[in-house]
Short mmCIF file of all heavy atoms in Angstrom, two decimals:
data_model
loop_
_atom_site.label_atom_id
_atom_site.label_comp_id
_atom_site.label_asym_id
_atom_site.label_seq_id
_atom_site.Cartn_x
_atom_site.Cartn_y
_atom_site.Cartn_z
N PRO H 1 7.34 62.52 -2.92
CA PRO H 1 8.66 62.62 -3.57
C PRO H 1 8.61 62.19 -5.04
O PRO H 1 8.03 61.15 -5.37
CB PRO H 1 9.53 61.68 -2.74
CG PRO H 1 8.89 61.67 -1.39
CD PRO H 1 7.41 61.73 -1.66
N GLY H 2 9.21 62.99 -5.88
CA GLY H 2 9.33 62.64 -7.30
C GLY H 2 8.10 62.90 -8.14
O GLY H 2 8.11 62.63 -9.35
N MET H 3 7.03 63.41 -7.56
CA MET H 3 5.78 63.65 -8.29
C MET H 3 5.81 65.01 -8.96
O MET H 3 5.94 66.05 -8.30
CB MET H 3 4.59 63.56 -7.33
CG MET H 3 3.23 63.78 -7.98
SD MET H 3 2.68 62.40 -9.03
CE MET H 3 2.30 61.15 -7.78
N THR H 4 5.68 65.04 -10.28
CA THR H 4 5.51 66.29 -11.02
C THR H 4 4.06 66.73 -10.89
O THR H 4 3.16 65.90 -10.97
CB THR H 4 5.88 66.10 -12.50
OG1 THR H 4 7.27 65.78 -12.60
CG2 THR H 4 5.61 67.35 -13.31
N VAL H 5 3.82 68.03 -10.68
CA VAL H 5 2.46 68.52 -10.47
C VAL H 5 2.21 69.70 -11.42
O VAL H 5 2.94 70.70 -11.39
CB VAL H 5 2.25 68.98 -9.01
CG1 VAL H 5 0.83 69.50 -8.81
CG2 VAL H 5 2.54 67.82 -8.04
N VAL H 6 1.17 69.56 -12.24
CA VAL H 6 0.91 70.53 -13.31
C VAL H 6 -0.55 70.98 -13.26
O VAL H 6 -1.45 70.17 -13.02
CB VAL H 6 1.22 69.89 -14.69
CG1 VAL H 6 0.81 70.81 -15.82
CG2 VAL H 6 2.71 69.56 -14.79
N ASN H 7 -0.77 72.28 -13.51
CA ASN H 7 -2.12 72.86 -13.48
C ASN H 7 -2.27 73.83 -14.65
O ASN H 7 -2.01 75.03 -14.50
CB ASN H 7 -2.33 73.59 -12.13
CG ASN H 7 -3.74 74.05 -11.94
OD1 ASN H 7 -4.69 73.54 -12.53
ND2 ASN H 7 -3.92 75.02 -11.07
N PRO H 8 -2.70 73.35 -15.82
CA PRO H 8 -2.77 74.21 -17.02
C PRO H 8 -3.81 75.31 -16.90
O PRO H 8 -4.83 75.14 -16.22
CB PRO H 8 -3.15 73.23 -18.12
CG PRO H 8 -2.86 71.86 -17.59
CD PRO H 8 -3.07 71.96 -16.11
N ALA H 9 -3.56 76.41 -17.60
CA ALA H 9 -4.44 77.57 -17.54
C ALA H 9 -5.51 77.55 -18.62
O ALA H 9 -6.58 78.13 -18.45
CB ALA H 9 -3.63 78.85 -17.66
N ASP H 10 -5.23 76.94 -19.77
CA ASP H 10 -6.21 76.93 -20.86
C ASP H 10 -5.99 75.68 -21.71
O ASP H 10 -5.14 74.84 -21.41
CB ASP H 10 -6.13 78.21 -21.69
CG ASP H 10 -4.88 78.31 -22.57
OD1 ASP H 10 -4.00 77.43 -22.48
OD2 ASP H 10 -4.79 79.30 -23.33
N ALA H 11 -6.77 75.57 -22.79
CA ALA H 11 -6.75 74.37 -23.60
C ALA H 11 -5.42 74.19 -24.34
O ALA H 11 -4.91 73.08 -24.47
CB ALA H 11 -7.88 74.41 -24.63
N VAL H 12 -4.84 75.28 -24.81
CA VAL H 12 -3.56 75.18 -25.53
C VAL H 12 -2.45 74.74 -24.60
O VAL H 12 -1.67 73.84 -24.91
CB VAL H 12 -3.21 76.55 -26.19
CG1 VAL H 12 -1.80 76.51 -26.77
CG2 VAL H 12 -4.21 76.88 -27.28
N SER H 13 -2.36 75.38 -23.43
CA SER H 13 -1.31 74.99 -22.49
C SER H 13 -1.54 73.59 -21.95
O SER H 13 -0.60 72.85 -21.68
CB SER H 13 -1.22 76.00 -21.34
OG SER H 13 -2.40 76.03 -20.58
N ALA H 14 -2.81 73.18 -21.83
CA ALA H 14 -3.11 71.84 -21.38
C ALA H 14 -2.52 70.80 -22.33
O ALA H 14 -1.86 69.85 -21.91
CB ALA H 14 -4.61 71.63 -21.24
N GLU H 15 -2.73 71.00 -23.62
CA GLU H 15 -2.21 70.04 -24.59
C GLU H 15 -0.68 70.02 -24.57
O GLU H 15 -0.06 68.94 -24.58
CB GLU H 15 -2.70 70.39 -26.00
CG GLU H 15 -2.17 69.42 -27.05
CD GLU H 15 -2.72 69.68 -28.44
OE1 GLU H 15 -3.63 70.52 -28.59
OE2 GLU H 15 -2.22 69.03 -29.39
N LYS H 16 -0.06 71.18 -24.53
CA LYS H 16 1.40 71.23 -24.55
C LYS H 16 2.00 70.61 -23.29
O LYS H 16 2.99 69.86 -23.35
CB LYS H 16 1.88 72.69 -24.71
CG LYS H 16 1.64 73.27 -26.08
CD LYS H 16 2.07 74.73 -26.15
CE LYS H 16 1.86 75.32 -27.54
NZ LYS H 16 2.87 74.83 -28.51
N LEU H 17 1.41 70.89 -22.14
CA LEU H 17 1.93 70.35 -20.89
C LEU H 17 1.66 68.86 -20.77
O LEU H 17 2.51 68.10 -20.29
CB LEU H 17 1.33 71.11 -19.71
CG LEU H 17 1.82 72.55 -19.56
CD1 LEU H 17 0.92 73.34 -18.64
CD2 LEU H 17 3.25 72.58 -19.05
N LEU H 18 0.50 68.42 -21.22
CA LEU H 18 0.21 66.98 -21.22
C LEU H 18 1.19 66.23 -22.10
O LEU H 18 1.66 65.15 -21.74
CB LEU H 18 -1.22 66.74 -21.70
CG LEU H 18 -2.33 67.00 -20.67
CD1 LEU H 18 -3.67 67.19 -21.36
CD2 LEU H 18 -2.39 65.84 -19.66
N ASN H 19 1.51 66.81 -23.24
CA ASN H 19 2.47 66.17 -24.14
C ASN H 19 3.82 66.02 -23.46
O ASN H 19 4.47 64.97 -23.54
CB ASN H 19 2.62 67.00 -25.42
CG ASN H 19 3.35 66.26 -26.51
OD1 ASN H 19 2.91 65.22 -26.98
ND2 ASN H 19 4.49 66.79 -26.91
N ALA H 20 4.26 67.07 -22.77
CA ALA H 20 5.54 67.01 -22.06
C ALA H 20 5.50 66.01 -20.92
O ALA H 20 6.45 65.25 -20.69
CB ALA H 20 5.91 68.40 -21.54
N VAL H 21 4.39 65.99 -20.19
CA VAL H 21 4.25 65.08 -19.06
C VAL H 21 4.28 63.63 -19.51
O VAL H 21 4.98 62.78 -18.93
CB VAL H 21 2.94 65.39 -18.29
CG1 VAL H 21 2.56 64.22 -17.38
CG2 VAL H 21 3.09 66.66 -17.48
N VAL H 22 3.54 63.31 -20.56
CA VAL H 22 3.50 61.93 -21.04
C VAL H 22 4.85 61.47 -21.55
O VAL H 22 5.23 60.31 -21.39
CB VAL H 22 2.40 61.79 -22.14
CG1 VAL H 22 2.52 60.42 -22.84
CG2 VAL H 22 1.02 61.94 -21.52
N ASP H 23 5.61 62.38 -22.15
CA ASP H 23 6.92 62.01 -22.69
C ASP H 23 8.04 62.10 -21.65
O ASP H 23 9.20 61.83 -21.98
CB ASP H 23 7.26 62.93 -23.88
CG ASP H 23 6.46 62.57 -25.12
OD1 ASP H 23 5.89 61.46 -25.16
OD2 ASP H 23 6.39 63.40 -26.04
N THR H 24 7.71 62.47 -20.42
CA THR H 24 8.70 62.51 -19.35
C THR H 24 8.50 61.32 -18.43
O THR H 24 7.41 61.12 -17.89
CB THR H 24 8.58 63.83 -18.54
OG1 THR H 24 8.76 64.94 -19.42
CG2 THR H 24 9.62 63.88 -17.44
N GLU H 25 9.53 60.55 -18.21
CA GLU H 25 9.43 59.34 -17.40
C GLU H 25 9.13 59.69 -15.94
O GLU H 25 9.71 60.63 -15.38
CB GLU H 25 10.74 58.54 -17.48
CG GLU H 25 10.70 57.18 -16.83
CD GLU H 25 9.91 56.14 -17.60
OE1 GLU H 25 9.71 56.35 -18.82
OE2 GLU H 25 9.51 55.13 -17.00
N GLY H 26 8.23 58.95 -15.33
CA GLY H 26 7.95 59.11 -13.92
C GLY H 26 6.54 59.55 -13.62
O GLY H 26 5.78 59.92 -14.51
N PRO H 27 6.17 59.54 -12.33
CA PRO H 27 4.79 59.89 -11.94
C PRO H 27 4.49 61.38 -12.07
O PRO H 27 5.37 62.22 -11.86
CB PRO H 27 4.71 59.43 -10.48
CG PRO H 27 6.13 59.48 -10.00
CD PRO H 27 6.98 59.12 -11.18
N ALA H 28 3.25 61.68 -12.40
CA ALA H 28 2.84 63.08 -12.53
C ALA H 28 1.36 63.23 -12.20
O ALA H 28 0.58 62.28 -12.35
CB ALA H 28 3.11 63.59 -13.95
N TYR H 29 1.02 64.42 -11.76
CA TYR H 29 -0.38 64.79 -11.50
C TYR H 29 -0.72 65.98 -12.35
O TYR H 29 -0.03 67.01 -12.31
CB TYR H 29 -0.59 65.12 -10.03
CG TYR H 29 -2.01 65.54 -9.69
CD1 TYR H 29 -3.05 64.61 -9.70
CD2 TYR H 29 -2.31 66.87 -9.40
CE1 TYR H 29 -4.35 64.99 -9.41
CE2 TYR H 29 -3.61 67.26 -9.11
CZ TYR H 29 -4.63 66.32 -9.12
OH TYR H 29 -5.92 66.71 -8.82
N VAL H 30 -1.79 65.88 -13.14
CA VAL H 30 -2.24 66.97 -13.99
C VAL H 30 -3.66 67.35 -13.57
O VAL H 30 -4.57 66.51 -13.58
CB VAL H 30 -2.23 66.59 -15.48
CG1 VAL H 30 -2.67 67.77 -16.35
CG2 VAL H 30 -0.84 66.11 -15.90
N ARG H 31 -3.85 68.59 -13.18
CA ARG H 31 -5.14 69.08 -12.67
C ARG H 31 -5.93 69.71 -13.82
O ARG H 31 -5.46 70.64 -14.48
CB ARG H 31 -4.89 70.12 -11.58
CG ARG H 31 -6.13 70.53 -10.81
CD ARG H 31 -5.77 71.63 -9.82
NE ARG H 31 -6.52 71.54 -8.59
CZ ARG H 31 -7.30 72.51 -8.13
NH1 ARG H 31 -7.43 73.64 -8.79
NH2 ARG H 31 -7.96 72.36 -6.98
N LEU H 32 -7.15 69.24 -14.03
CA LEU H 32 -7.98 69.69 -15.14
C LEU H 32 -9.35 70.13 -14.64
O LEU H 32 -9.83 69.64 -13.61
CB LEU H 32 -8.13 68.57 -16.18
CG LEU H 32 -6.80 68.03 -16.73
CD1 LEU H 32 -7.00 66.68 -17.37
CD2 LEU H 32 -6.21 69.03 -17.73
N GLY H 33 -9.99 71.04 -15.37
CA GLY H 33 -11.25 71.64 -14.90
C GLY H 33 -12.47 71.17 -15.65
O GLY H 33 -12.40 70.62 -16.74
N ARG H 34 -13.60 71.43 -15.03
CA ARG H 34 -14.90 71.10 -15.62
C ARG H 34 -15.38 72.18 -16.58
O ARG H 34 -15.89 71.89 -17.66
CB ARG H 34 -15.93 70.91 -14.51
CG ARG H 34 -17.35 70.65 -15.02
CD ARG H 34 -18.36 70.64 -13.87
NE ARG H 34 -19.65 70.15 -14.30
CZ ARG H 34 -20.71 70.03 -13.50
NH1 ARG H 34 -20.60 70.37 -12.22
NH2 ARG H 34 -21.86 69.58 -13.96
N SER H 35 -15.27 73.44 -16.17
CA SER H 35 -15.88 74.54 -16.91
C SER H 35 -14.97 75.07 -18.03
O SER H 35 -13.74 74.92 -17.96
CB SER H 35 -16.19 75.68 -15.95
OG SER H 35 -17.08 75.26 -14.93
N GLY H 36 -15.59 75.68 -19.02
CA GLY H 36 -14.83 76.30 -20.06
C GLY H 36 -14.05 77.50 -19.54
O GLY H 36 -14.57 78.26 -18.71
N VAL H 37 -12.82 77.68 -20.01
CA VAL H 37 -11.98 78.82 -19.60
C VAL H 37 -11.44 79.50 -20.84
O VAL H 37 -11.26 78.88 -21.89
CB VAL H 37 -10.82 78.37 -18.68
CG1 VAL H 37 -11.34 77.91 -17.33
CG2 VAL H 37 -10.01 77.24 -19.32
N PRO H 38 -11.16 80.81 -20.76
CA PRO H 38 -10.66 81.53 -21.93
C PRO H 38 -9.36 80.93 -22.46
O PRO H 38 -8.48 80.55 -21.69
CB PRO H 38 -10.42 82.95 -21.39
CG PRO H 38 -11.30 83.06 -20.20
CD PRO H 38 -11.34 81.70 -19.59
N VAL H 39 -9.25 80.88 -23.78
CA VAL H 39 -8.03 80.41 -24.43
C VAL H 39 -7.22 81.64 -24.83
O VAL H 39 -7.62 82.39 -25.72
CB VAL H 39 -8.35 79.55 -25.67
CG1 VAL H 39 -7.06 79.10 -26.34
CG2 VAL H 39 -9.18 78.34 -25.27
#
């Protein structure tokens, strides 16, 4: 309950979504990858 869950598609969206997540109060899960992906 109350957990925001985010899975970015590329480096640009990762930065934008991380920025929103950090500035939003409350718990969140951000899923990130090992391999390079197209931007």
Side-chain angles (χ1 to χ4, degrees):
M3 180 72 72
T4 296
V5 180
V6 173
N7 188 23
D10 71 356
V12 172
S13 63
E15 180 176 352
K16 288 177 179 286
L17 290 164
L18 282 161
N19 192 62
V21 163
V22 169
D23 286 344
T24 301
E25 188 74 20
Y29 178 72
V30 182
R31 190 184 215 238
L32 303 162
R34 176 187 191 180
S35 301
V37 291
V39 178

